[in-house]
PDB file of all heavy atoms in Angstrom:
ATOM      1  N   LYS B1346      49.451  29.529  68.015  1.00 54.00           N
ATOM      2  CA  LYS B1346      48.596  28.348  68.180  1.00 54.00           C
ATOM      3  C   LYS B1346      47.206  28.639  67.648  1.00 54.00           C
ATOM      4  O   LYS B1346      46.578  29.638  68.004  1.00 54.00           O
ATOM      5  CB  LYS B1346      48.528  28.005  69.668  1.00 54.00           C
ATOM      6  CG  LYS B1346      47.837  26.695  69.929  1.00 54.00           C
ATOM      7  CD  LYS B1346      47.800  26.407  71.419  1.00 54.00           C
ATOM      8  CE  LYS B1346      47.028  25.163  71.702  1.00 54.00           C
ATOM      9  NZ  LYS B1346      46.890  24.966  73.155  1.00 54.00           N
ATOM     10  N   TYR B1384      24.087  18.101  24.382  1.00 90.00           N
ATOM     11  CA  TYR B1384      23.410  16.914  24.925  1.00 90.00           C
ATOM     12  C   TYR B1384      22.018  16.708  24.332  1.00 90.00           C
ATOM     13  O   TYR B1384      21.574  15.576  24.175  1.00 90.00           O
ATOM     14  CB  TYR B1384      23.354  16.996  26.453  1.00 90.00           C
ATOM     15  CG  TYR B1384      24.698  16.688  27.059  1.00 90.00           C
ATOM     16  CD1 TYR B1384      25.494  17.689  27.599  1.00 90.00           C
ATOM     17  CD2 TYR B1384      25.192  15.396  27.034  1.00 90.00           C
ATOM     18  CE1 TYR B1384      26.751  17.408  28.115  1.00 90.00           C
ATOM     19  CE2 TYR B1384      26.449  15.097  27.548  1.00 90.00           C
ATOM     20  CZ  TYR B1384      27.227  16.109  28.086  1.00 90.00           C
ATOM     21  OH  TYR B1384      28.462  15.822  28.582  1.00 90.00           O
ATOM     22  N   MET B1404       3.493   2.033 -12.510  1.00 97.00           N
ATOM     23  CA  MET B1404       3.282   0.850 -13.355  1.00 97.00           C
ATOM     24  C   MET B1404       3.121   1.296 -14.810  1.00 97.00           C
ATOM     25  O   MET B1404       2.840   2.456 -15.083  1.00 97.00           O
ATOM     26  CB  MET B1404       2.048   0.090 -12.891  1.00 97.00           C
ATOM     27  CG  MET B1404       2.247  -0.556 -11.534  1.00 97.00           C
ATOM     28  SD  MET B1404       1.015  -1.812 -11.179  1.00 97.00           S
ATOM     29  CE  MET B1404      -0.366  -0.813 -10.681  1.00 97.00           C
ATOM     30  N   LYS B1408      -2.487  -1.189 -24.053  1.00 96.00           N
ATOM     31  CA  LYS B1408      -3.926  -1.135 -24.340  1.00 96.00           C
ATOM     32  C   LYS B1408      -4.375  -2.494 -24.863  1.00 96.00           C
ATOM     33  O   LYS B1408      -3.632  -3.177 -25.574  1.00 96.00           O
ATOM     34  CB  LYS B1408      -4.213  -0.075 -25.414  1.00 96.00           C
ATOM     35  CG  LYS B1408      -3.770   1.325 -25.064  1.00 96.00           C
ATOM     36  CD  LYS B1408      -4.713   2.037 -24.108  1.00 96.00           C
ATOM     37  CE  LYS B1408      -5.993   2.473 -24.763  1.00 96.00           C
ATOM     38  NZ  LYS B1408      -5.775   3.522 -25.774  1.00 96.00           N
ATOM     39  N   SER B1421       6.887  -7.036  -4.090  1.00 89.00           N
ATOM     40  CA  SER B1421       7.849  -7.050  -2.982  1.00 89.00           C
ATOM     41  C   SER B1421       8.567  -8.396  -2.963  1.00 89.00           C
ATOM     42  O   SER B1421       7.922  -9.439  -2.986  1.00 89.00           O
ATOM     43  CB  SER B1421       7.133  -6.857  -1.649  1.00 89.00           C
ATOM     44  OG  SER B1421       6.653  -5.547  -1.559  1.00 89.00           O
ATOM     45  N   GLN B1430      28.149 -14.173  12.906  1.00 89.00           N
ATOM     46  CA  GLN B1430      28.617 -14.138  14.303  1.00 89.00           C
ATOM     47  C   GLN B1430      27.515 -14.509  15.289  1.00 89.00           C
ATOM     48  O   GLN B1430      27.791 -14.903  16.415  1.00 89.00           O
ATOM     49  CB  GLN B1430      29.174 -12.756  14.627  1.00 89.00           C
ATOM     50  CG  GLN B1430      30.463 -12.462  13.875  1.00 89.00           C
ATOM     51  CD  GLN B1430      31.102 -11.154  14.313  1.00 89.00           C
ATOM     52  OE1 GLN B1430      30.720 -10.569  15.317  1.00 89.00           O
ATOM     53  NE2 GLN B1430      32.072 -10.700  13.531  1.00 89.00           N
ATOM     54  N   LYS B1466      26.129 -11.516   5.317  1.00 90.00           N
ATOM     55  CA  LYS B1466      26.317 -12.366   4.142  1.00 90.00           C
ATOM     56  C   LYS B1466      24.953 -12.637   3.520  1.00 90.00           C
ATOM     57  O   LYS B1466      24.019 -13.081   4.207  1.00 90.00           O
ATOM     58  CB  LYS B1466      26.963 -13.705   4.529  1.00 90.00           C
ATOM     59  CG  LYS B1466      28.435 -13.601   4.879  1.00 90.00           C
ATOM     60  CD  LYS B1466      29.291 -13.425   3.635  1.00 90.00           C
ATOM     61  CE  LYS B1466      30.765 -13.291   3.995  1.00 90.00           C
ATOM     62  NZ  LYS B1466      31.576 -12.845   2.860  1.00 90.00           N
ATOM     63  N   GLY B1469      20.335 -15.498  -0.002  1.00 91.00           N
ATOM     64  CA  GLY B1469      19.393 -15.714  -1.099  1.00 91.00           C
ATOM     65  C   GLY B1469      18.739 -14.411  -1.501  1.00 91.00           C
ATOM     66  O   GLY B1469      18.670 -13.474  -0.712  1.00 91.00           O
ATOM     67  N   THR B1470      18.309 -14.339  -2.737  1.00 88.00           N
ATOM     68  CA  THR B1470      17.675 -13.113  -3.232  1.00 88.00           C
ATOM     69  C   THR B1470      16.330 -13.444  -3.871  1.00 88.00           C
ATOM     70  O   THR B1470      16.077 -14.589  -4.256  1.00 88.00           O
ATOM     71  CB  THR B1470      18.556 -12.418  -4.282  1.00 88.00           C
ATOM     72  OG1 THR B1470      18.824 -13.351  -5.328  1.00 88.00           O
ATOM     73  CG2 THR B1470      19.858 -11.928  -3.695  1.00 88.00           C
ATOM     74  N   SER B1486      18.132 -17.421  14.809  1.00 88.00           N
ATOM     75  CA  SER B1486      19.010 -16.367  15.288  1.00 88.00           C
ATOM     76  C   SER B1486      20.045 -16.050  14.201  1.00 88.00           C
ATOM     77  O   SER B1486      20.611 -16.956  13.579  1.00 88.00           O
ATOM     78  CB  SER B1486      19.712 -16.838  16.564  1.00 88.00           C
ATOM     79  OG  SER B1486      20.808 -16.023  16.833  1.00 88.00           O
ATOM     80  N   GLY B1523      14.037   3.983 -19.097  1.00 97.00           N
ATOM     81  CA  GLY B1523      15.171   4.887 -19.080  1.00 97.00           C
ATOM     82  C   GLY B1523      14.741   6.320 -19.335  1.00 97.00           C
ATOM     83  O   GLY B1523      15.157   7.242 -18.634  1.00 97.00           O
ATOM     84  N   VAL B1542      13.096   1.043  21.416  1.00 80.00           N
ATOM     85  CA  VAL B1542      14.286   0.225  21.137  1.00 80.00           C
ATOM     86  C   VAL B1542      14.117  -0.631  19.891  1.00 80.00           C
ATOM     87  O   VAL B1542      15.082  -1.001  19.234  1.00 80.00           O
ATOM     88  CB  VAL B1542      14.643  -0.691  22.334  1.00 80.00           C
ATOM     89  CG1 VAL B1542      15.271   0.111  23.449  1.00 80.00           C
ATOM     90  CG2 VAL B1542      13.429  -1.467  22.814  1.00 80.00           C
ATOM     91  N   GLY B1561       5.393   7.149  -8.220  1.00 96.00           N
ATOM     92  CA  GLY B1561       5.621   7.430  -9.641  1.00 96.00           C
ATOM     93  C   GLY B1561       4.323   7.362 -10.430  1.00 96.00           C
ATOM     94  O   GLY B1561       3.338   6.780  -9.982  1.00 96.00           O
ATOM     95  N   VAL B1565       0.134   4.835 -19.289  1.00 98.00           N
ATOM     96  CA  VAL B1565      -0.598   3.965 -20.226  1.00 98.00           C
ATOM     97  C   VAL B1565      -0.022   4.194 -21.619  1.00 98.00           C
ATOM     98  O   VAL B1565      -0.028   5.322 -22.118  1.00 98.00           O
ATOM     99  CB  VAL B1565      -2.111   4.273 -20.225  1.00 98.00           C
ATOM    100  CG1 VAL B1565      -2.833   3.348 -21.188  1.00 98.00           C
ATOM    101  CG2 VAL B1565      -2.686   4.143 -18.825  1.00 98.00           C
ATOM    102  N   GLN B1578       5.303 -11.970 -33.222  1.00 96.00           N
ATOM    103  CA  GLN B1578       5.199 -13.303 -33.820  1.00 96.00           C
ATOM    104  C   GLN B1578       5.643 -13.261 -35.278  1.00 96.00           C
ATOM    105  O   GLN B1578       6.370 -14.156 -35.744  1.00 96.00           O
ATOM    106  CB  GLN B1578       3.749 -13.813 -33.711  1.00 96.00           C
ATOM    107  CG  GLN B1578       3.562 -15.267 -34.133  1.00 96.00           C
ATOM    108  CD  GLN B1578       4.411 -16.239 -33.313  1.00 96.00           C
ATOM    109  OE1 GLN B1578       4.405 -16.191 -32.092  1.00 96.00           O
ATOM    110  NE2 GLN B1578       5.159 -17.095 -33.996  1.00 96.00           N
ATOM    111  N   LYS B1603       0.382   7.921 -32.894  1.00 97.00           N
ATOM    112  CA  LYS B1603       0.476   6.937 -31.809  1.00 97.00           C
ATOM    113  C   LYS B1603       1.054   5.625 -32.334  1.00 97.00           C
ATOM    114  O   LYS B1603       0.579   5.100 -33.344  1.00 97.00           O
ATOM    115  CB  LYS B1603      -0.906   6.680 -31.201  1.00 97.00           C
ATOM    116  CG  LYS B1603      -1.414   7.849 -30.395  1.00 97.00           C
ATOM    117  CD  LYS B1603      -2.786   7.561 -29.836  1.00 97.00           C
ATOM    118  CE  LYS B1603      -3.310   8.788 -29.100  1.00 97.00           C
ATOM    119  NZ  LYS B1603      -4.696   8.625 -28.659  1.00 97.00           N
ATOM    120  N   TYR B1610      13.529  -8.463 -33.004  1.00 96.00           N
ATOM    121  CA  TYR B1610      13.820  -9.863 -32.695  1.00 96.00           C
ATOM    122  C   TYR B1610      15.230 -10.171 -33.172  1.00 96.00           C
ATOM    123  O   TYR B1610      15.571  -9.750 -34.277  1.00 96.00           O
ATOM    124  CB  TYR B1610      12.798 -10.785 -33.368  1.00 96.00           C
ATOM    125  CG  TYR B1610      12.878 -12.193 -32.836  1.00 96.00           C
ATOM    126  CD1 TYR B1610      12.207 -12.548 -31.669  1.00 96.00           C
ATOM    127  CD2 TYR B1610      13.651 -13.145 -33.480  1.00 96.00           C
ATOM    128  CE1 TYR B1610      12.302 -13.829 -31.158  1.00 96.00           C
ATOM    129  CE2 TYR B1610      13.754 -14.423 -32.970  1.00 96.00           C
ATOM    130  CZ  TYR B1610      13.090 -14.764 -31.811  1.00 96.00           C
ATOM    131  OH  TYR B1610      13.196 -16.031 -31.301  1.00 96.00           O
ATOM    132  N   ASN B1630      16.199  -1.047 -31.975  1.00 96.00           N
ATOM    133  CA  ASN B1630      16.704  -0.652 -33.288  1.00 96.00           C
ATOM    134  C   ASN B1630      15.784   0.346 -33.995  1.00 96.00           C
ATOM    135  O   ASN B1630      16.235   1.161 -34.788  1.00 96.00           O
ATOM    136  CB  ASN B1630      16.875  -1.917 -34.144  1.00 96.00           C
ATOM    137  CG  ASN B1630      17.506  -1.617 -35.480  1.00 96.00           C
ATOM    138  OD1 ASN B1630      18.526  -0.946 -35.550  1.00 96.00           O
ATOM    139  ND2 ASN B1630      16.882  -2.082 -36.552  1.00 96.00           N
ATOM    140  N   ASP B1660       4.672  11.571 -66.249  1.00 97.00           N
ATOM    141  CA  ASP B1660       5.796  12.136 -67.005  1.00 97.00           C
ATOM    142  C   ASP B1660       6.824  11.040 -67.293  1.00 97.00           C
ATOM    143  O   ASP B1660       6.926  10.061 -66.543  1.00 97.00           O
ATOM    144  CB  ASP B1660       6.483  13.262 -66.207  1.00 97.00           C
ATOM    145  CG  ASP B1660       5.635  14.525 -66.173  1.00 97.00           C
ATOM    146  OD1 ASP B1660       4.597  14.555 -66.877  1.00 97.00           O
ATOM    147  OD2 ASP B1660       5.986  15.455 -65.414  1.00 97.00           O
ATOM    148  N   GLY B1681      17.081  -3.382 -67.275  1.00 94.00           N
ATOM    149  CA  GLY B1681      16.348  -3.885 -68.443  1.00 94.00           C
ATOM    150  C   GLY B1681      15.056  -3.145 -68.719  1.00 94.00           C
ATOM    151  O   GLY B1681      14.460  -3.293 -69.778  1.00 94.00           O
ATOM    152  N   GLN B1767      20.350   6.934 -50.213  1.00 95.00           N
ATOM    153  CA  GLN B1767      21.728   6.658 -49.779  1.00 95.00           C
ATOM    154  C   GLN B1767      22.394   8.000 -49.463  1.00 95.00           C
ATOM    155  O   GLN B1767      21.860   9.061 -49.789  1.00 95.00           O
ATOM    156  CB  GLN B1767      22.505   5.912 -50.864  1.00 95.00           C
ATOM    157  CG  GLN B1767      21.913   4.562 -51.244  1.00 95.00           C
ATOM    158  CD  GLN B1767      22.104   3.454 -50.220  1.00 95.00           C
ATOM    159  OE1 GLN B1767      21.373   2.485 -50.215  1.00 95.00           O
ATOM    160  NE2 GLN B1767      23.071   3.584 -49.346  1.00 95.00           N
ATOM    161  N   ILE B1795       2.962   7.135 -25.620  1.00 97.00           N
ATOM    162  CA  ILE B1795       2.176   7.350 -24.396  1.00 97.00           C
ATOM    163  C   ILE B1795       0.771   7.830 -24.754  1.00 97.00           C
ATOM    164  O   ILE B1795       0.601   8.818 -25.477  1.00 97.00           O
ATOM    165  CB  ILE B1795       2.877   8.372 -23.472  1.00 97.00           C
ATOM    166  CG1 ILE B1795       4.218   7.802 -23.036  1.00 97.00           C
ATOM    167  CG2 ILE B1795       2.012   8.687 -22.256  1.00 97.00           C
ATOM    168  CD1 ILE B1795       5.041   8.726 -22.195  1.00 97.00           C
ATOM    169  N   TYR B1798      -2.490   8.329 -18.638  1.00 97.00           N
ATOM    170  CA  TYR B1798      -2.007   7.922 -17.313  1.00 97.00           C
ATOM    171  C   TYR B1798      -3.156   7.295 -16.532  1.00 97.00           C
ATOM    172  O   TYR B1798      -4.325   7.613 -16.780  1.00 97.00           O
ATOM    173  CB  TYR B1798      -1.464   9.140 -16.553  1.00 97.00           C
ATOM    174  CG  TYR B1798      -0.228   9.713 -17.203  1.00 97.00           C
ATOM    175  CD1 TYR B1798      -0.331  10.676 -18.204  1.00 97.00           C
ATOM    176  CD2 TYR B1798       1.041   9.255 -16.861  1.00 97.00           C
ATOM    177  CE1 TYR B1798       0.799  11.186 -18.832  1.00 97.00           C
ATOM    178  CE2 TYR B1798       2.174   9.760 -17.480  1.00 97.00           C
ATOM    179  CZ  TYR B1798       2.049  10.725 -18.467  1.00 97.00           C
ATOM    180  OH  TYR B1798       3.172  11.215 -19.090  1.00 97.00           O
ATOM    181  N   GLY B1840      -2.156 -10.015 -55.484  1.00 91.00           N
ATOM    182  CA  GLY B1840      -2.772 -11.115 -54.726  1.00 91.00           C
ATOM    183  C   GLY B1840      -2.266 -11.320 -53.317  1.00 91.00           C
ATOM    184  O   GLY B1840      -2.735 -12.224 -52.632  1.00 91.00           O
ATOM    185  N   TYR B1864      30.765   1.151 -50.328  1.00 89.00           N
ATOM    186  CA  TYR B1864      29.717   0.287 -49.784  1.00 89.00           C
ATOM    187  C   TYR B1864      30.152  -1.173 -49.805  1.00 89.00           C
ATOM    188  O   TYR B1864      30.907  -1.607 -50.669  1.00 89.00           O
ATOM    189  CB  TYR B1864      28.423   0.454 -50.587  1.00 89.00           C
ATOM    190  CG  TYR B1864      27.746   1.778 -50.312  1.00 89.00           C
ATOM    191  CD1 TYR B1864      27.774   2.803 -51.269  1.00 89.00           C
ATOM    192  CD2 TYR B1864      27.083   2.009 -49.118  1.00 89.00           C
ATOM    193  CE1 TYR B1864      27.157   4.024 -51.019  1.00 89.00           C
ATOM    194  CE2 TYR B1864      26.462   3.227 -48.858  1.00 89.00           C
ATOM    195  CZ  TYR B1864      26.503   4.228 -49.812  1.00 89.00           C
ATOM    196  OH  TYR B1864      25.902   5.428 -49.557  1.00 89.00           O
ATOM    197  N   GLN B1889      12.103  -3.801 -41.062  1.00 98.00           N
ATOM    198  CA  GLN B1889      13.515  -3.825 -41.465  1.00 98.00           C
ATOM    199  C   GLN B1889      14.113  -5.202 -41.148  1.00 98.00           C
ATOM    200  O   GLN B1889      13.850  -5.770 -40.081  1.00 98.00           O
ATOM    201  CB  GLN B1889      14.298  -2.759 -40.707  1.00 98.00           C
ATOM    202  CG  GLN B1889      15.710  -2.563 -41.244  1.00 98.00           C
ATOM    203  CD  GLN B1889      16.550  -1.704 -40.311  1.00 98.00           C
ATOM    204  OE1 GLN B1889      17.135  -2.211 -39.366  1.00 98.00           O
ATOM    205  NE2 GLN B1889      16.596  -0.422 -40.571  1.00 98.00           N
ATOM    206  N   ASP B1902      12.510 -10.080 -48.530  1.00 97.00           N
ATOM    207  CA  ASP B1902      12.632 -10.354 -47.100  1.00 97.00           C
ATOM    208  C   ASP B1902      11.761  -9.469 -46.198  1.00 97.00           C
ATOM    209  O   ASP B1902      11.294  -9.931 -45.163  1.00 97.00           O
ATOM    210  CB  ASP B1902      14.101 -10.205 -46.685  1.00 97.00           C
ATOM    211  CG  ASP B1902      14.993 -11.168 -47.454  1.00 97.00           C
ATOM    212  OD1 ASP B1902      14.708 -12.376 -47.433  1.00 97.00           O
ATOM    213  OD2 ASP B1902      15.959 -10.699 -48.098  1.00 97.00           O
TER     214      ASP B1902
END
Side-chain angles (χ1 to χ4, degrees):
Chain B
K1346 188 180 176 185
Y1384 284 106
M1404 292 196 281
K1408 302 282 286 293
S1421 290
Q1430 292 186 12
K1466 287 285 179 192
T1470 56
S1486 164
V1542 285
V1565 181
Q1578 188 59 50
K1603 289 179 183 174
Y1610 193 84
N1630 185 49
D1660 287 353
Q1767 299 287 158
I1795 297 177
Y1798 294 88
Y1864 287 107
Q1889 190 191 85
D1902 300 306

